[in-house]
Amino acid sequence: LYEKERLIAEQLRVSEGNYRGLFEGANDAIWIHDLEGNMIIANKATEKLTGYTAEELTGMNVSSLLDEEGLRVARKVRHSLLYGEPLQQPYEQRLIKRDSTEAIFMLTTSLVTADGKPTGFQHIARDVTVEKRMEENLRFYVQQITQAQEEERKRIARELHDDTTQALYAASRQVDSII
């Protein structure tokens, strides 16, 4: 029995080490917070995403990183996970970084449980700020190009209309002079 317990303890230690390596080395931000929103742990990618160190994040309430819309989204996700309601994931969320700039990220959230009872939430987030800004810029440029094309169409239509009107008027004058 002692040997079996030792083997289980060793497997648990190896598994925990593997998880820790995945957690710390992940390119995506990963953090866990309790049911009240107080961060328990965050990886290096979360530091990069937020601008805060892992030590600063530990104990920080996630609500301090969210604006009103972000809080609304977080409450909806929390409710859905706690009550087993359907939730579209990943979902978009925005946070306010340490330097007061905004980060946009795609987030997947899961419920953390112990002995079948909810104890917190785990988040995995990918920063998509640059991509979202590029999409916004592309939409703006497409709108500008469409507007310029429409203005050019109107200009050409006016010219064609004016030229046709002038040609008809000249032809009518010539007919009048012949008659």
Side-chain angles (χ1 to χ4, degrees), residues 82-94:
L82 285 173
Y83 295 99
E85 296 174 357
L87 176 64
Q88 178 70 34
Q89 295 204 57
Y91 58 95
E92 186 175 301
Q93 181 63 291
R94 296 167 184 256

Side-chain angles (χ1 to χ4, degrees), residues 1 5 7 14 18 22 25 40 45-46 51 89 93 103 139 147 154 170 172:
L1 186 63
E5 288 174 355
L7 183 60
V14 168
N18 290 341
L22 285 171
I40 298 168
T46 306
Q89 295 204 57
Q93 181 63 291
R139 271 194 293 279
Q147 185 178 356
K154 287 178 183 177
S172 117

Side-chain angles (χ1 to χ4, degrees), residues 38-52:
N38 300 311
M39 289 208 203
I40 298 168
I41 189 168
N43 69 352
K44 295 283 185 199
T46 306
E47 292 180 347
K48 184 177 176 185
L49 178 68
T50 64
Y52 292 96

Side-chain angles (χ1 to χ4, degrees), residues 47-61:
E47 292 180 347
K48 184 177 176 185
L49 178 68
T50 64
Y52 292 96
T53 66
E55 293 77 28
E56 292 170 319
L57 288 167
T58 302
M60 181 185 288
N61 195 284

Side-chain angles (χ1 to χ4, degrees), residues 20-123:
R20 171 83 43 205
L22 285 171
F23 180 83
E24 289 300 329
N27 289 326
D28 291 337
I30 304 172
W31 68 93
I32 299 173
H33 67 75
D34 63 20
L35 293 175
E36 287 74 42
N38 300 311
M39 289 208 203
I40 298 168
I41 189 168
N43 69 352
K44 295 283 185 199
T46 306
E47 292 180 347
K48 184 177 176 185
L49 178 68
T50 64
Y52 292 96
T53 66
E55 293 77 28
E56 292 170 319
L57 288 167
T58 302
M60 181 185 288
N61 195 284
V62 293
S63 64
S64 64
L65 301 172
L66 302 172
D67 62 11
E68 283 303 314
E69 175 61 18
L71 286 169
R72 187 190 66 72
V73 170
R75 284 185 199 108
K76 180 178 180 266
V77 169
R78 180 186 201 286
H79 184 271
S80 294
L81 289 172
L82 285 173
Y83 295 99
E85 296 174 357
L87 176 64
Q88 178 70 34
Q89 295 204 57
Y91 58 95
E92 186 175 301
Q93 181 63 291
R94 296 167 184 256
L95 67 79
I96 302 159
K97 297 169 67 167
R98 179 185 203 135
D99 64 6
S100 298
T101 60
E102 181 183 70
I104 305 167
F105 53 98
M106 294 306 291
L107 183 65
T108 301
T109 302
S110 57
L111 190 62
V112 176
T113 60
D115 298 324
K117 295 181 181 173
T119 59
F121 299 92
Q122 176 176 285
H123 306 276

